Amino acid sequence: MKTVLLKDVSLHLGEKIKLQGWVRNYRKASSKLRFVIFRDGTGFIQAVASKPDMGEENFEKVKLLTIESSLEMIGTAQKHPSRENEYEFLLEDINIINIAPEYPISKKEHGPEFLLNMRHLWLRAPRQNAIMKIRHTCYYAVMEYLESQNFYRFDSPILTPTACEGTTTLFEVPYFDEGSAYLSQSGQLYLEPGIMSLGRVYDFGPVFRAEKSKTRKHLTEFWMMDAEAAFVEHEENMQIQEGLIRHIIRKVIEKNLTELEVLERDVEKLKKADAPFRKITHRQAIDLLKEKGFEIGYEDDFGAQEEVALTEDSDIPLFIEKWPKQIKAFYMKLDSENPDVVLGADLISPEGFGEIIGGSQREDDYDLLLERMKRDNMPLEEYEWYLDLRKYGSVPHSGFGIGFERIVAWMSGTHHIRECIPFPRMINRLKP
Amino acid sequence: MKTVLLKDVSLHLGEKIKLQGWVRNYRKASSKLRFVIFRDGTGFIQAVASKPDMGEENFEKVKLLTIESSLEMIGTAQKHPSRENEYEFLLEDINIINIAPEYPISKKEHGPEFLLNMRHLWLRAPRQNAIMKIRHTCYYAVMEYLESQNFYRFDSPILTPTACEGTTTLFEVPYFDEGSAYLSQSGQLYLEPGIMSLGRVYDFGPVFRAEKSKTRKHLTEFWMMDAEAAFVEHEENMQIQEGLIRHIIRKVIEKNLTELEVLERDVEKLKKADAPFRKITHRQAIDLLKEKGFEIGYEDDFGAQEEVALTEDSDIPLFIEKWPKQIKAFYMKLDSENPDVVLGADLISPEGFGEIIGGSQREDDYDLLLERMKRDNMPLEEYEWYLDLRKYGSVPHSGFGIGFERIVAWMSGTHHIRECIPFPRMINRLKP
């Protein structure tokens, strides 16, 4: 008898098969009929336990099952009598593996603190399961797309001697006799040596921000993908980003329709986002915001409210490019047509999910870069290696970084980013 | 005119094309002829600069080129007149992007400290470039194989409240008002809740060991892939590992023959390793070692010397299974046929590259697990969430962890593991 995964059950209709998994829920229809909602990680199915069909002894075993008990089910799958594209499982027998005591997560509403304390069990809930599957799809889609664009994986270090940007939000780690190490906030600077060896590189790992923010968009530990490419300038940099995001959207729609349904995600909205991305300059964005009544100046950054205001009229992601150099990082290349702005762009998602990519062409001129580092009072000896890249074989190059959980939140339509990572870490949350 | 990557140059022979990259080296053959070894990240080619062919003005530009200068080359590629599967590039013109000053890494032997200080430039060396490409191939092969085996990516946290195994080698991080966090040494325990939601899961991220070891096999920050699967028992666990490793070997041979040649890696050795893996028990291994003259007892662990002695007679990886429970972790399941040993296996690579996988079936019985945790004096309240997994829907399950840089070292034939990661971190090395 074959053991079958639920994702493949449609290929085995009418065969006697074995399933292995857990009781999601059960319902007593009568003294002779029970329904068991069963899950195995790859899918869900309703199993029908009929006392006349399976015999009294086997039916008695079914009556022992509780929520989250584990078992093997033996029987045959068939098309659901009324629901399209659904199947049900006619039980012949079960092998009980473990009978669970009363499950702590019930149907009633639990507060977020309770659920986060129970994260190790909460992950089994259909919504959480669906989000994790979408996360998987997004991750794989990123790798696939970058592979097709000749990027090599090039892991940047987590333990770093200096801060990449800013210093107030760093986690500090005592490091043997070397003083302190800091947990990386971005791998970007370390990708730049990579492109001089490999042409195009990316990393994809955890980054850390010791921010005291408690918003629904902040985690202290989250995953980030940084990509960097030699001989790519500002316009092409945005094209690569657009291609990547649209590939992710298509893959999620292709692979996760079931999960999107569990999450009640509006798939039409995702389909509409798979269109040529819109693009405005920072200056145009400020004008738009002024029209909408915001009090904002031409050298101001945006907050969440401004991002929403700029994207609420369209389902298509929006690049905001050419930012005032004062409010962007030292390594962004100045626009030769207007040296007050940098050749950087932020990509804002639709539907209020905020900024998902920050990217730019990088300053490749040694003297200009040095000047800007001096202006920012950066410790030059710590960055000598980074300056070396402009000395030996400097080339035009660009890159970008994706906040991965924000992509997952957008794709899955999840309000709180803490549900988009298996074990979220926040200012007051380090467990389990 | 088309810009072409060197990896695709054979598709454009005879066409006028543009290449973008760096001078690896150059050679003056006569006053009218120069050879430039050119690289673009995807490959290397020898460019031929002939004064009669390209004209004096263009030839003068070629004479300005130094090692690691960056440029565009315009001309045509053709088959190398004598060497099979190689190409050369007939230069018509060049666009100089950046002329590099004297390059710090010369042909003469440099000590490891110098090269590690220059890691940001050393990465461009052909050997380092080749190792990074093989690393990329290995990473992608792992993802591909696990995808084909229905594993979902499920990132475990890096900041953890307690140690997974041991406490003496932890990096400690002050964490707001929550006391200390510790950098993860293994994601395994966090994967186990994942399988109860998704069936099969894996993580692939950095882990940290504050070990004072200075051997060629130790890094303080390295990458590890942990996989965990519900309803998989000890034998199948080893089958999955074997399938994964053999897939990696095949992909490296398929994609990296050029790099293996640069590294002078004996490809025949790799081909021979792609055979059914050997398997002996820990007890048999001790007997073998005794025969070979080692003074070792039946409850002893192995060191590097023992690993070499056990694998020196064969090119095929070796599983050593069924270890004495005293020397293995608390979560490994006891063998029902002999409760003095656990259903765990270590996979030892051939050619002296040491242990590359540790894995086991996990204890799924609540009472037995609790008993072993008590025996080890573990802080039970910290592991309540982990014990919950044996209370609610416990199932037989197994998993394993791969030390990624060790796989890369083996595939690429690299003696020192510090060359198998872009920016190695060691006890006395945190820069650049």
Side-chain angles (χ1 to χ4, degrees):
Chain A
M1 186 174 35
K2 210 166 175 168
T3 302
V4 170
L5 295 174
L6 282 175
K7 76 179 180 70
D8 302 325
V9 83
S10 65
L11 308 173
H12 299 276
L13 301 184
E15 276 175 53
K16 184 168 176 172
I17 56 174
K18 191 201 277 184
L19 306 177
Q20 297 177 312
W22 297 267
V23 176
R24 168 72 200 145
N25 213 336
Y26 59 89
R27 187 161 55 87
K28 194 174 152 178
S30 74
S31 63
K32 294 175 181 171
L33 187 65
R34 287 198 172 218
F35 296 104
V36 179
I37 310 297
F38 179 85
R39 61 180 188 80
D40 76 347
T42 74
F44 292 82
I45 200 167
Q46 175 168 277
V48 183
S50 150
K51 189 159 154 182
D53 288 353
M54 64 191 302
E56 183 158 355
E57 198 182 334
N58 290 351
F59 190 73
E60 284 303 310
K61 288 194 283 183
V62 174
K63 285 164 73 177
L64 298 173
L65 294 174
T66 57
I67 287 175
E68 289 303 323
S69 288
S70 49
L71 73 155
E72 296 180 325
M73 302 202 312
I74 292 135
T76 50
Q78 62 180 29
K79 287 197 174 181
H80 192 283
S82 55
R83 277 175 248 154
E84 195 128 9
N85 294 321
E86 277 194 38
Y87 304 94
E88 61 176 18
F89 196 73
L90 303 183
L91 272 179
E92 287 181 31
D93 196 2
I94 64 170
N95 301 323
I96 290 174
I97 300 174
N98 174 269
I99 294 293
E102 195 186 351
Y103 196 60
I105 303 178
S106 60
K107 286 248 158 180
K108 74 170 196 296
E109 280 285 317
H110 296 287
E113 283 307 302
F114 175 82
L115 290 171
L116 287 165
N117 284 333
M118 289 287 140
R119 185 63 175 166
H120 58 294
L121 301 178
W122 185 28
L123 284 161
R124 305 181 191 184
R127 278 187 59 86
Q128 302 305 313
N129 172 278
I131 295 169
M132 289 303 128
K133 283 187 180 167
I134 289 169
R135 182 180 168 100
H136 171 80
T137 303
C138 293
Y139 198 103
Y140 208 80
V142 168
M143 306 265 302
E144 252 176 5
Y145 184 77
L146 293 174
E147 183 79 4
S148 77
Q149 301 296 308
N150 302 306
F151 283 82
Y152 292 99
R153 186 174 181 104
F154 184 83
D155 299 298
S156 55
I158 308 300
L159 294 167
T160 57
T162 36
C164 170
E165 300 175 50
T167 51
T168 54
T169 57
L170 286 171
F171 284 109
E172 194 173 346
V173 190
Y175 195 84
F176 306 109
D177 301 333
E178 302 291 306
S180 282
Y182 301 94
L183 299 186
S184 176
Q185 299 197 318
S186 157
Q188 181 212 315
L189 299 196
Y190 284 98
L191 290 189
E192 295 186 48
I195 62 169
M196 310 272 178
S197 171
L198 295 156
R200 294 179 169 204
V201 297
Y202 70 100
D203 65 19
F204 204 156
V207 292
F208 302 86
R209 301 216 176 157
E211 273 180 290
K212 297 211 166 149
S213 311
K214 276 190 182 179
T215 86
R216 65 184 175 89
K217 286 184 188 162
H218 282 89
L219 295 167
T220 56
E221 172 181 327
F222 57 100
W223 282 64
M224 189 145 162
M225 193 284 288
D226 297 292
E228 197 77 24
F231 301 103
V232 166
E233 305 193 29
H234 176 56
E235 284 296 327
E236 189 181 359
N237 192 32
M238 289 189 288
Q239 283 163 22
I240 294 169
Q241 293 167 48
E242 176 172 333
L244 173 59
I245 298 297
R246 292 177 68 179
H247 181 75
I248 295 172
I249 296 172
R250 285 174 204 162
K251 282 290 163 179
V252 168
I253 293 171
E254 177 190 327
K255 303 210 163 184
N256 295 113
L257 275 185
T258 307
E259 287 73 31
L260 293 169
E261 202 178 304
V262 167
L263 295 163
E264 299 174 75
R265 179 72 174 102
D266 184 347
V267 180
E268 289 311 308
K269 288 271 187 193
L270 288 180
K271 286 184 182 163
K272 282 182 195 159
D274 181 17
F277 287 2
R278 297 176 302 139
K279 196 193 299 177
I280 58 176
T281 64
H282 176 269
R283 196 175 172 86
Q284 289 170 322
I286 298 293
D287 284 335
L288 266 170
L289 288 169
K290 284 178 189 283
E291 277 172 35
K292 289 185 179 240
F294 282 80
E295 288 195 15
I296 192 166
Y298 288 110
E299 297 193 351
D300 287 346
D301 201 352
F302 303 142
Q305 280 188 311
E306 286 83 0
E307 286 173 359
V308 168
L310 288 168
T311 52
E312 66 194 352
D313 307 323
S314 170
D315 293 315
I316 301 173
L318 173 69
F319 279 115
I320 301 173
E321 61 167 350
K322 301 196 174 177
W323 291 65
K325 65 180 175 191
Q326 293 87 335
I327 57 172
K328 285 291 183 187
F330 71 95
Y331 49 71
M332 294 193 181
K333 190 176 175 69
L334 303 181
D335 185 359
S336 59
E337 291 171 15
N338 174 7
D340 290 335
V341 302
V342 292
L343 294 173
D346 286 359
L347 182 64
I348 317 292
S349 66
E351 301 182 71
F353 289 98
E355 182 196 330
I356 46 174
I357 301 188
S360 75
Q361 186 166 347
R362 316 308 189 184
E363 185 52 73
D364 51 273
D365 183 272
Y366 184 89
D367 295 322
L368 288 176
L369 185 65
L370 184 65
E371 188 185 306
R372 294 183 71 202
M373 291 174 81
K374 281 180 177 165
R375 192 201 62 194
D376 287 2
N377 290 316
M378 293 175 66
L380 294 181
E381 71 279 16
E382 295 286 334
Y383 289 92
E384 209 178 353
W385 66 271
Y386 186 69
L387 282 159
D388 270 357
L389 308 177
R390 277 67 181 171
K391 222 187 230 170
Y392 305 105
S394 188
V395 294
H397 64 288
S398 302
F400 59 94
I402 293 188
F404 185 54
E405 282 74 18
R406 292 196 179 179
I407 295 274
V408 178
W410 172 29
M411 291 298 118
S412 61
T414 303
H415 186 70
H416 273 285
I417 207 160
R418 64 185 178 220
E419 294 179 37
C420 296
I421 188 166
F423 291 92
R425 298 297 183 234
M426 292 164 287
I427 173 168
N428 55 352
R429 166 70 52 194
L430 186 58
K431 297 181 183 178
Chain B
M1 186 173 37
K2 211 167 174 167
T3 303
V4 170
L5 296 173
L6 281 175
K7 76 180 181 68
D8 302 324
V9 83
S10 65
L11 308 173
H12 299 275
L13 302 184
E15 276 174 53
K16 183 166 175 173
I17 55 175
K18 190 201 278 183
L19 306 176
Q20 297 177 311
W22 297 268
V23 176
R24 168 71 201 144
N25 213 335
Y26 59 90
R27 187 160 56 87
K28 194 175 153 176
S30 75
S31 63
K32 295 176 181 172
L33 187 65
R34 288 196 174 220
F35 297 103
V36 179
I37 311 297
F38 179 85
R39 59 179 190 82
D40 76 346
T42 74
F44 293 82
I45 200 166
Q46 175 167 279
V48 183
S50 149
K51 189 159 155 182
D53 289 353
M54 64 192 302
E56 183 158 356
E57 197 182 336
N58 290 351
F59 190 74
E60 285 302 312
K61 288 195 283 182
V62 174
K63 284 164 74 177
L64 298 172
L65 294 174
T66 57
I67 287 175
E68 289 303 324
S69 288
S70 50
L71 73 155
E72 295 180 325
M73 302 202 313
I74 292 137
T76 50
Q78 62 179 29
K79 286 197 175 183
H80 192 283
S82 55
R83 277 175 249 151
E84 194 127 11
N85 294 321
E86 276 193 38
Y87 304 93
E88 61 176 18
F89 195 73
L90 303 184
L91 273 180
E92 287 181 31
D93 196 4
I94 64 170
N95 301 323
I96 291 174
I97 301 173
N98 174 270
I99 293 293
E102 195 186 352
Y103 196 60
I105 304 178
S106 60
K107 286 249 158 180
K108 74 171 196 291
E109 281 285 317
H110 297 287
E113 283 307 301
F114 175 82
L115 289 171
L116 286 166
N117 284 334
M118 289 286 140
R119 184 61 174 168
H120 58 293
L121 302 177
W122 186 27
L123 284 161
R124 305 180 191 185
R127 278 186 59 86
Q128 303 305 313
N129 173 278
I131 296 169
M132 289 302 128
K133 284 187 179 167
I134 288 169
R135 182 180 168 101
H136 172 80
T137 303
C138 293
Y139 198 103
Y140 208 81
V142 168
M143 305 265 303
E144 250 176 6
Y145 185 77
L146 293 173
E147 184 79 2
S148 77
Q149 302 296 308
N150 303 305
F151 283 81
Y152 292 99
R153 187 175 181 103
F154 183 84
D155 299 298
S156 54
I158 308 300
L159 294 167
T160 57
T162 36
C164 170
E165 299 176 48
T167 51
T168 54
T169 58
L170 286 170
F171 284 108
E172 195 172 346
V173 189
Y175 196 84
F176 305 109
D177 301 333
E178 303 290 308
S180 282
Y182 301 93
L183 298 185
S184 176
Q185 299 198 317
S186 157
Q188 181 212 316
L189 299 195
Y190 285 97
L191 291 189
E192 295 187 49
I195 62 168
M196 310 273 178
S197 172
L198 295 157
R200 294 179 169 203
V201 298
Y202 70 101
D203 65 19
F204 205 157
V207 293
F208 302 86
R209 302 220 174 153
E211 274 181 290
K212 298 210 165 148
S213 311
K214 276 190 184 180
T215 86
R216 64 184 176 88
K217 286 185 188 162
H218 282 89
L219 295 167
T220 56
E221 172 181 327
F222 58 99
W223 281 66
M224 189 146 160
M225 193 285 287
D226 298 291
E228 197 77 23
F231 302 104
V232 165
E233 304 194 28
H234 176 56
E235 283 297 327
E236 190 181 357
N237 192 33
M238 289 189 287
Q239 283 163 23
I240 293 169
Q241 293 168 48
E242 175 172 333
L244 173 59
I245 297 297
R246 292 176 68 179
H247 181 75
I248 295 172
I249 296 172
R250 286 173 204 162
K251 282 290 162 180
V252 168
I253 293 172
E254 178 192 324
K255 302 211 164 186
N256 294 113
L257 275 185
T258 307
E259 287 74 32
L260 294 169
E261 202 179 304
V262 166
L263 295 163
E264 299 175 76
R265 179 73 174 101
D266 184 347
V267 180
E268 288 311 309
K269 288 271 187 193
L270 288 181
K271 286 185 181 162
K272 282 183 193 157
D274 181 17
F277 287 2
R278 297 176 303 139
K279 194 192 301 176
I280 58 176
T281 64
H282 176 269
R283 195 175 174 87
Q284 289 169 323
I286 298 293
D287 284 335
L288 267 170
L289 289 169
K290 283 176 189 284
E291 276 172 36
K292 288 185 178 238
F294 282 81
E295 287 195 15
I296 192 166
Y298 288 110
E299 295 193 352
D300 287 346
D301 201 351
F302 304 142
Q305 280 189 311
E306 287 82 0
E307 287 172 0
V308 168
L310 288 168
T311 51
E312 66 194 351
D313 307 324
S314 170
D315 293 315
I316 301 172
L318 173 69
F319 279 116
I320 302 173
E321 61 167 351
K322 301 195 174 178
W323 291 65
K325 66 181 175 189
Q326 293 87 335
I327 58 172
K328 285 292 182 187
F330 72 95
Y331 49 71
M332 293 193 181
K333 190 176 175 69
L334 303 181
D335 185 359
S336 59
E337 291 170 14
N338 174 7
D340 289 336
V341 303
V342 292
L343 294 173
D346 285 358
L347 181 64
I348 317 292
S349 67
E351 301 182 71
F353 290 98
E355 182 196 330
I356 47 174
I357 301 188
S360 75
Q361 185 165 347
R362 316 308 188 186
E363 185 53 72
D364 51 272
D365 182 274
Y366 183 90
D367 294 322
L368 288 176
L369 185 65
L370 185 64
E371 189 184 304
R372 293 182 71 200
M373 291 174 82
K374 281 181 176 166
R375 192 200 63 194
D376 286 3
N377 290 316
M378 293 175 66
L380 295 182
E381 70 280 16
E382 296 286 334
Y383 289 92
E384 210 178 357
W385 66 271
Y386 186 69
L387 282 160
D388 270 358
L389 308 177
R390 277 66 182 173
K391 223 188 228 168
Y392 304 104
S394 187
V395 294
H397 64 288
S398 302
F400 58 93
I402 293 187
F404 185 54
E405 282 75 17
R406 291 196 179 178
I407 295 274
V408 178
W410 172 29
M411 290 300 118
S412 60
T414 303
H415 186 70
H416 273 285
I417 206 160
R418 64 185 177 220
E419 294 179 36
C420 297
I421 189 166
F423 292 92
R425 298 299 182 233
M426 291 164 288
I427 174 167
N428 55 352
R429 166 70 51 193
L430 185 58
K431 294 181 184 179

